[in-house]
């Protein structure tokens, strides 16, 4: 069965650079969630989209922005990167009405040097 | 953690033994879910229990939920080396689809 696809899987950036993470949800899933997991930490919710509209917002820095496109894929844009942004970034998808279960992608490991 | 704590933080057992992990949370919830994460990899959904349920089984997994104590436990019976992973509980509450995760228990099953 198709799963959530995230790209790239690994990304190395320098401080103050920008990064774009992409997420392709499971076919027919209309809701996308982004989570950040720092080293040794639990995942923290950043933001979610349903039908291209932001549906919920968590502890996402102002330096980050995200959007969902007409084909339901989503991109997380991160600017002015800081060392503390180094983390695993997960995307998850679900189908509206069944949001209780979210399907996670493999994650993008971002390293900021 | 915004949600609460899991205990123990780390657990080491022998193959064939049972493993029990506990999770506490702070607010009223719609459901509680357990996820598994192999080292540095994606999160795999294991089981979901709704707030009006007290116990649920799935294969070798047994989950209990005590809403009066705001706590849940995950029991893995007859553990295998392949069960070695970190286990997180996550909750959803009314009006929000976001998952709020606990800090996780790192389980090591020794062959």
């Amino acid at each position: 069965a198709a799963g959530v696809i995230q790209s790239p899987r690994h990304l190395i950036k320098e401080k103050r650079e920008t990064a774009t993470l992409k997420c392709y949800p499971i076919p027919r899933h209309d809701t996308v969630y982004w989570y950040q997991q720092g080293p040794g930490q639990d995942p923290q919710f950043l933001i979610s989209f349903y039908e291209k509209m932001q549906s919920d917002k968590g502890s996402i820095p102002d330096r980050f922005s995200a959007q969902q496109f007409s084909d339901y894929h989503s991109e997380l844009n991160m600017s002015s990167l800081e060392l503390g942004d180094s983390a695993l970034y997960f995307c998850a998808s679900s189908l509206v009405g069944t949001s209780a279960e979210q399907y996670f992608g493999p994650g993008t490991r971002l390293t900021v040097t | 953690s915004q949600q609460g704590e899991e205990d123990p933080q780390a657990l080491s057992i022998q193959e064939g033994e049972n493993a029990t992990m506990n999770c506490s949370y702070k607010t009223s919830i719609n459901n509680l879910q357990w996820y598994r994460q192999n080292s540095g990899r994606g999160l795999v959904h294991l089981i979901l229990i709704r707030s009006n349920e007290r116990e649920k089984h799935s294969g070798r997994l047994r989950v209990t939920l005590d809403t009066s104590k705001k706590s849940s436990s995950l029991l893995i019976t007859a553990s295998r080396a392949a069960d070695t992973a970190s286990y997180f509980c996550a909750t959803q509450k009314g009006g929000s689809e976001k998952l709020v995760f606990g800090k996780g228990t790192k389980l090591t099953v020794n062959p």
Side-chain angles (χ1 to χ4, degrees):
Chain A
V4 176
I5 297 171
Q6 291 189 245
S7 68
R9 294 292 307 278
H10 302 272
L11 190 58
I12 299 175
K13 291 285 185 178
E14 295 187 355
K15 281 195 307 184
R16 293 179 289 277
E17 285 191 321
T18 60
T20 297
L21 279 54
K22 296 184 179 182
C23 169
Y24 298 86
I26 291 172
R28 291 185 295 281
H29 280 194
D30 50 19
T31 306
V32 169
Y33 312 82
W34 287 96
Y35 294 84
Q36 176 192 56
Q37 186 179 28
Q41 302 296 312
D42 52 294
Q44 296 286 322
F45 172 76
L46 292 177
I47 196 166
S48 62
F49 292 88
Y50 164 65
E51 287 289 344
K52 304 183 286 292
M53 299 288 289
Q54 179 182 306
S55 55
D56 203 350
K57 190 173 182 179
S59 49
I60 182 169
D62 291 341
R63 299 177 290 108
F64 294 7
S65 65
Q67 57 182 322
Q68 185 181 31
F69 295 86
S70 57
D71 63 351
Y72 296 110
H73 94 271
S74 178
E75 295 184 1
L76 177 65
N77 299 294
M78 309 158 71
S79 64
S80 303
L81 287 168
E82 302 173 356
L83 296 178
D85 296 329
S86 295
L88 262 174
Y89 289 83
F90 290 108
C91 171
S93 74
S94 70
L95 185 62
V96 69
T98 65
S99 64
E101 184 168 347
Q102 297 177 18
Y103 295 82
F104 281 78
T108 293
R109 183 174 293 280
L110 172 66
T111 302
V112 181
T113 62
Chain B
S1 168
Q2 299 173 42
Q3 182 56 17
E5 299 297 322
E6 289 188 47
D7 77 272
Q9 292 188 346
L11 180 61
S12 182
I13 59 174
Q14 296 299 123
E15 244 183 347
E17 293 181 337
N18 295 341
T20 299
M21 288 158 272
N22 302 298
C23 164
S24 62
Y25 56 92
K26 297 177 180 175
T27 63
S28 296
I29 60 172
N30 281 351
N31 65 71
L32 184 144
Q33 306 175 39
W34 286 88
Y35 285 81
R36 183 185 72 211
Q37 184 179 35
N38 290 81
S39 180
R41 304 186 70 176
L43 292 150
V44 176
H45 184 268
L46 295 177
I47 195 167
L48 178 152
I49 186 166
R50 300 193 186 282
S51 60
N52 61 354
E53 297 176 310
R54 291 297 166 260
E55 186 171 315
K56 205 162 184 180
H57 297 254
S58 176
R60 294 184 295 114
L61 306 180
R62 173 177 169 255
V63 170
T64 62
L65 180 64
D66 187 335
T67 52
S68 66
K69 295 181 179 177
K70 292 188 170 55
S71 67
S72 174
S73 68
L74 171 68
L75 168 67
I76 303 174
T77 60
S79 64
R80 306 166 181 167
D83 294 329
T84 295
S86 290
Y87 291 82
F88 292 90
C89 69
T91 57
Q92 282 182 325
K93 60 180 185 179
S96 177
E97 298 176 349
K98 70 180 181 186
L99 292 170
V100 179
F101 286 85
K103 287 212 173 295
T105 293
K106 188 171 183 178
L107 173 66
T108 302
V109 182
N110 301 299

